[in-house]
Amino acid sequence: MIKDIGCEWVILGHSERRNIFKETDELIGEKVAHALSEGLKVIACIGELLSEREAGKTTEVVSRQIKAIADNVSDWSKVVIAYEPVWAIGTGVTATPQQAQEVHHQLRGWLKENVSAAIASSTRIIYGGSVNAKNCQELAKEGDVDGFLVGGASLKPEFVQIVNARLKESICPICLEEYVEPKVLPCLHNICKKCLKEMLHRHTQTFHCPICRAVCPIPERGVAGFPTNDYLARLIRESPAKKVIQEIKKALKECSEKLVIVRRIQDEARIDLERQGEMIKEKIHEDFENLVDVLRKQEEQLCSEVDSLVEKEEKKHPACFLSLQTETLLTHIEGRIKLRDILDIANDKEHFMNRIRDANVACTKLSHLHSAETEKPKTLFKFIGNKEVLQCVSGNMFGLVTLKGHEPSNTLIQSPVSENLQSLDVLKPGTRFHSLDIPQPFKKRFQPFAVAMNDEGSIAVSDQGNHSVLLYSKGGEFLARIGGRGSSQGSLESPTGVTFLSRHLIAIADGCLFGNPARIQAFDSSGRFTRCLVKLYVNSHWFTRVSVGNNDQLIVTCTPVMPGYDACIKVFNTSGDEVLCFGTGLSGKLLHPTKAVLHNNEYFVSDVDKKNNRCMVSVFDQHGKYLRAFGECMLKKDPNEHAFYPLVIALDVADFRVLAYSGLYRLVRCYFPNGALDSYYNTLGGVTDMAVTGDGRVFVVCGGAGEFPHSVQVIFHY
Ligand SMILES: O=C(CO)COP(=O)(O)O
């Protein structure tokens, strides 16, 4: 195997083999014989341990070792002896030149005595053991040190100096380069011809030897008059070290040439990689630009379709806004345009365009559905008794009401007035309804979903169209807009539920549009973001309405958005931990819960059973155990009727009543907590949330459909 890979020399008897692998003198002798018989040349190592040196046994040990080798050698031209004192190998400790010389001398003596004088003088005895650039010169000067076996230093650049150790005599003391035609001075020092010529240039008769300062006369023929040291010149020419150096230089040159090639290839590969990276980035950029264009165009188209739809229906039914179920419309459109699909979209614009077309078809279907649905409402206001109407606010119908048979004054509501309206004696022609003013920039897109009021009467309305919550004072004065579109902290993507916490904090639930998990954020009364209260880490549910429980706990209605999850009510503490989740058990399983409120440690949940066309209020205890249901009513009269009006509830804390709104009958029923009906009031259609002030005087209705779509109605003194 050694020969197969082109090796000519083997090192045998190295201290590690002797002392770690416990190879005996005999085994080493056998190995020497075998290597030589196979035509390999042998560097045979010998050397004593530190303990042996200290015990004065060096000569005895190395003599025994060399004998075991010599017994197996017939051709000494193929053997080199290496003296390697074990204590000096790889330790940094070197034998002094004298110590090395002493043992080398003894070994040469042993060979002379036991083999022959000729073999003793021709066999190279080399030294190994921490040879380096610093000690090589001195060691090389010793007469019996014929060379070195170098370990660690052979891996360093100083190796060249070790190789050159014997070459010192071949260096000109003036230019410090190898002699070129060395000239001998009368004092017997050598100087190369070139240097001598330069020196003589400055002198005429004599000059001083630059090494010993001896006065040297200048021959008549000048430099040519000094004899050339032919012996030294030949020594340099034929020096084996010089050959080694030349080989090393050649190998170094080849290496550096190869290195240049490798570097060039690496550079090219890097440039190519960077270029490819740039190209990919450009492509991504281009694709996204295109995609944004496509999305922009589709956004414009969808918006203008929605605008014209609204305008068309508005013309058809001037007073009674189109019952455009924006929530359903949004769900349809968003169901088709999911942001998480954006990469698919980028890859497959065709597919994306089809999805957009689907969304358009859905829009058209919805428009048909809504036009079929907008039959004239029979009742506008049908309040009983002496309940006082406080306010009525609508996007384009602020302020005034006109009654049948009376001429409008100022800007009037043109509505299909109920025959029963006269019974409401506070309503006079031209009665001004103080309104919650929807500020102009938000009017067009205003799309309320939920409403909340605090003890002081401040009103907060979640507005999905403007991605915000609008905040009003008790007197209806606009205070602040909270949020603004986005999924970063303090922004709102699709604000759904809203509720007031203690210390003037407002908690706003954000749905899970575009694949962002639902969250609830807190804002202060000036609309500044305070902190994130609740965050789902899995996009499992959409948070809809929220209310506040004991100790500022949040009661959140959760609609599943992922298969495998059920509708439920979750309760979170102020640290955002889920402390309760209920409504998923067999008994009292919630199907489409709309809102939950806590009263006297009981959770009241308005729920919709679409399959059986009914809605009801389900009651659970504080641990989420189902207790009872009440207030059951139909969802729609006719199963063919498309629209359904889910139930929503509110809590009148002052009077301990649960107020439940039924859209089908446009009724607000007031229940005792045990489920017994207290009283009821006719009101508007299309209510999606309501709230009662702390003092029980007013409740606010937030409509997305019905007689006054996209409006906030403060209806009556309760
Ligand atoms: O064992 C040696 C060479 O075989 C000597 O190694 P060092 O030169 O590293 O001491």
Side-chain angles (χ1 to χ4, degrees):
M1 197 167 78
I2 293 169
K3 284 201 294 186
D4 287 348
I5 59 167
C7 277
E8 291 177 21
W9 289 87
V10 284
I11 298 176
L12 297 174
H14 193 271
S15 71
E16 281 138 12
R17 303 295 312 181
R18 287 181 189 271
N19 298 306
I20 299 173
F21 290 88
K22 303 289 178 210
E23 288 186 8
T24 58
D25 291 344
E26 289 67 37
L27 178 64
I28 292 160
E30 278 173 38
K31 285 170 94 174
V32 168
H34 182 66
L36 291 172
S37 71
E38 287 298 325
L40 289 165
K41 291 181 251 185
V42 171
I43 299 171
C45 305
I46 55 180
E48 81 284 7
L49 296 166
L50 183 60
S51 54
E52 291 165 334
R53 172 163 280 266
E54 284 171 350
K57 292 186 177 164
T58 304
T59 313
E60 182 193 324
V61 172
V62 295
S63 304
R64 194 193 69 225
Q65 290 172 339
I66 197 170
K67 179 176 185 312
I69 290 161
D71 288 348
N72 292 285
V73 177
S74 48
D75 180 357
W76 280 91
S77 70
K78 296 203 165 41
V79 178
V80 169
I81 299 294
Y83 168 57
E84 294 208 317
V86 178
W87 44 274
I89 298 172
T91 58
V93 180
T94 336
T96 61
Q98 294 71 31
Q99 286 170 327
Q101 167 60 23
E102 193 185 332
V103 179
H104 281 227
H105 185 69
Q106 283 169 5
L107 289 171
R108 214 177 286 285
W110 189 94
L111 283 174
K112 194 174 171 189
E113 238 173 65
N114 297 287
V115 186
S116 71
I119 294 298
S121 65
S122 66
T123 299
R124 277 176 285 166
I125 304 175
I126 61 176
Y127 170 77
S130 301
V131 176
N132 56 36
K134 283 193 190 120
N135 57 28
C136 65
Q137 300 278 357
E138 290 305 307
L139 284 162
K141 280 183 187 156
E142 297 299 336
D144 287 302
V145 176
D146 299 323
F148 303 122
L149 190 58
V150 187
S154 69
L155 305 172
K156 301 175 190 165
E158 64 179 297
F159 185 55
V160 174
Q161 281 167 270
I162 300 173
V163 172
N164 274 336
R166 270 281 168 98
L167 263 187
K168 189 85 173 152
E169 300 124 41
S170 66
I171 303 293
C172 165
I174 308 300
C175 61
L176 298 178
E177 282 175 14
E178 203 173 74
Y179 285 116
V180 181
E181 218 179 311
K183 292 286 182 186
V184 192
L185 304 184
C187 55
L188 296 183
H189 285 119
N190 296 300
I191 293 177
C192 74
K193 187 179 173 187
K194 190 165 58 85
C195 297
L196 192 60
K197 209 169 175 181
E198 273 176 25
M199 284 172 64
L200 296 195
H201 201 62
R202 299 190 291 272
H203 300 84
T204 46
Q205 305 277 307
T206 57
F207 73 101
H208 290 280
C209 166
I211 300 152
C212 65
R213 306 306 298 160
V215 178
C216 303
I218 300 173
E220 266 179 30
R221 288 168 55 220
V223 176
F226 288 102
T228 301
N229 189 339
D230 286 328
Y231 172 74
L232 184 58
R234 200 177 67 248
L235 202 72
I236 292 167
R237 254 196 327 273
E238 290 168 8
S239 153
K242 189 169 179 188
K243 208 172 138 210
V244 172
I245 289 169
Q246 273 165 357
E247 275 169 15
I248 290 174
K249 277 188 179 161
K250 197 172 147 221
L252 275 175
K253 195 164 163 254
E254 277 171 16
C255 276
S256 59
E257 279 166 9
K258 282 185 185 147
L259 204 65
V260 170
I261 295 171
V262 169
R263 289 229 171 98
R264 208 183 55 231
I265 292 169
Q266 277 177 343
D267 282 353
E268 281 171 7
R270 203 190 56 237
I271 290 166
D272 203 42
L273 203 66
E274 280 168 5
R275 205 174 46 228
Q276 280 184 31
E278 283 309 315
M279 276 161 62
I280 291 169
K281 271 177 11 197
E282 263 173 38
K283 178 99 184 53
I284 290 172
H285 185 66
E286 202 178 291
D287 277 358
F288 271 83
E289 287 292 310
N290 289 342
L291 191 60
V292 169
D293 270 359
V294 173
L295 285 170
R296 281 268 141 72
K297 282 195 191 115
Q298 290 307 319
E299 184 197 13
E300 275 168 24
Q301 194 182 326
L302 283 175
C303 287
S304 75
E305 273 177 34
V306 171
D307 279 350
S308 62
L309 192 63
V310 170
E311 205 178 309
K312 206 171 86 201
E313 295 300 324
E314 215 174 3
K315 273 190 195 136
K316 264 202 263 167
H317 310 283
C320 153
F321 243 29
L322 163 74
S323 303
L324 187 64
Q325 289 206 346
T326 46
E327 208 183 325
T328 323
L329 178 63
L330 257 184
T331 315
H332 270 260
I333 294 174
E334 278 147 11
R336 281 159 174 77
I337 312 170
K338 286 264 163 60
L339 201 61
R340 63 166 170 256
D341 291 347
I342 205 132
L343 285 178
D344 291 349
I345 291 167
N347 286 337
D348 184 357
K349 276 187 215 124
E350 185 79 4
H351 169 68
F352 172 65
M353 296 308 291
N354 285 340
R355 294 177 74 123
I356 294 283
R357 268 195 286 280
D358 280 357
N360 286 339
V361 171
C363 275
T364 320
K365 277 193 189 149
L366 274 170
S367 78
H368 289 160
L369 185 147
H370 290 303
S371 37
E373 182 203 321
T374 49
E375 63 180 68
K376 268 189 179 179
K378 298 204 170 45
T379 307
L380 175 60
F381 299 117
K382 199 170 98 181
F383 303 131
I384 59 160
N386 58 359
K387 301 300 176 191
E388 183 188 359
V389 174
L390 293 184
Q391 296 181 24
C392 167
V393 185
S394 176
N396 63 344
M397 291 168 279
F398 290 150
L400 299 173
V401 134
T402 183
L403 299 182
K404 199 177 179 183
H406 292 274
E407 283 305 306
S409 65
N410 297 331
T411 314
L412 301 176
I413 297 175
Q414 297 173 1
S415 59
V417 177
S418 157
E419 61 276 12
N420 294 324
L421 195 59
Q422 283 88 337
S423 67
L424 195 66
D425 47 10
V426 290
L427 280 182
K428 300 281 187 290
T431 300
R432 175 169 284 279
F433 289 81
H434 300 289
S435 62
L436 287 185
D437 188 18
I438 312 300
Q440 195 57 40
F442 309 128
K443 242 177 208 167
K444 195 170 173 210
R445 289 177 181 264
F446 184 58
Q447 200 176 293
F449 181 81
V451 65
M453 306 180 81
N454 68 4
D455 294 349
E456 291 162 7
S458 300
I459 306 158
V461 182
S462 71
D463 170 8
Q464 296 192 316
N466 291 302
H467 309 279
S468 43
V469 162
L470 304 183
L471 198 60
Y472 293 87
S473 70
K474 183 181 181 177
E477 183 197 355
F478 175 72
L479 297 177
R481 177 205 188 196
I482 303 175
R485 184 167 206 173
S487 52
S488 57
Q489 282 202 332
S491 303
L492 298 171
E493 187 62 60
S494 173
T496 46
V498 58
T499 191
F500 283 91
L501 303 171
S502 57
R503 284 178 284 118
H504 300 286
L505 284 185
I506 303 158
I508 302 171
D510 210 346
C512 58
L513 280 186
F514 303 128
N516 287 328
R519 60 180 177 174
I520 301 177
Q521 303 181 92
F523 297 82
D524 67 15
S525 53
S526 64
R528 231 188 354 249
F529 170 74
T530 312
R531 66 191 174 97
C532 189
L533 295 169
V534 176
K535 189 166 168 47
L536 285 189
Y537 289 95
V538 179
N539 190 10
S540 57
H541 290 92
W542 189 345
F543 288 164
T544 58
R545 293 166 189 85
V546 291
S547 65
V548 67
N550 297 333
N551 305 321
D552 268 356
Q553 288 189 338
L554 285 165
I555 305 162
V556 187
T557 310
C558 302
T559 307
V561 286
M562 241 190 213
Y565 289 90
D566 288 327
C568 59
I569 304 297
K570 287 181 188 285
V571 181
F572 296 94
N573 65 16
T574 46
S575 316
D577 305 319
E578 183 181 311
V579 290
L580 185 63
C581 175
F582 63 89
T584 53
L586 272 183
S587 138
K589 184 174 171 60
L590 295 170
L591 297 167
H592 296 93
T594 50
K595 190 174 178 182
V597 292
L598 180 74
H599 174 64
N600 201 16
N601 287 332
E602 286 184 336
Y603 291 99
F604 295 81
V605 186
S606 49
D607 192 20
V608 175
D609 178 357
K610 286 187 192 171
K611 203 163 144 215
N612 296 309
N613 200 31
R614 63 200 188 104
C615 48
M616 81 272 332
V617 178
S618 298
V619 188
F620 297 81
D621 74 6
Q622 58 181 325
H623 307 296
K625 187 171 162 242
Y626 174 69
L627 299 175
R628 60 185 181 278
F630 64 83
E632 187 172 310
C633 60
M634 273 176 72
L635 208 53
K636 52 196 175 195
K637 284 183 213 153
D638 177 354
N640 296 321
E641 199 182 335
H642 294 288
F644 68 88
Y645 297 100
L647 195 73
V648 280
I649 55 174
L651 194 67
D652 174 2
V653 188
D655 280 353
F656 303 118
R657 298 287 190 280
V658 176
L659 274 62
Y661 166 81
S662 156
L664 182 61
Y665 302 105
R666 289 158 165 74
L667 271 185
V668 174
R669 294 183 174 99
C670 302
Y671 292 96
F672 292 104
N674 66 4
L677 183 67
D678 177 23
S679 54
Y680 64 93
Y681 306 95
N682 284 52
T683 183
L684 306 169
V687 169
T688 58
D689 196 15
M690 57 186 188
V692 185
T693 51
D695 61 8
R697 282 191 313 113
V698 182
F699 75 85
V700 179
V701 177
C702 167
E707 292 84 354
F708 296 108
H710 311 293
S711 69
V712 178
Q713 317 280 346
V714 183
I715 299 184
F716 56 85
H717 250 170
Y718 160 63

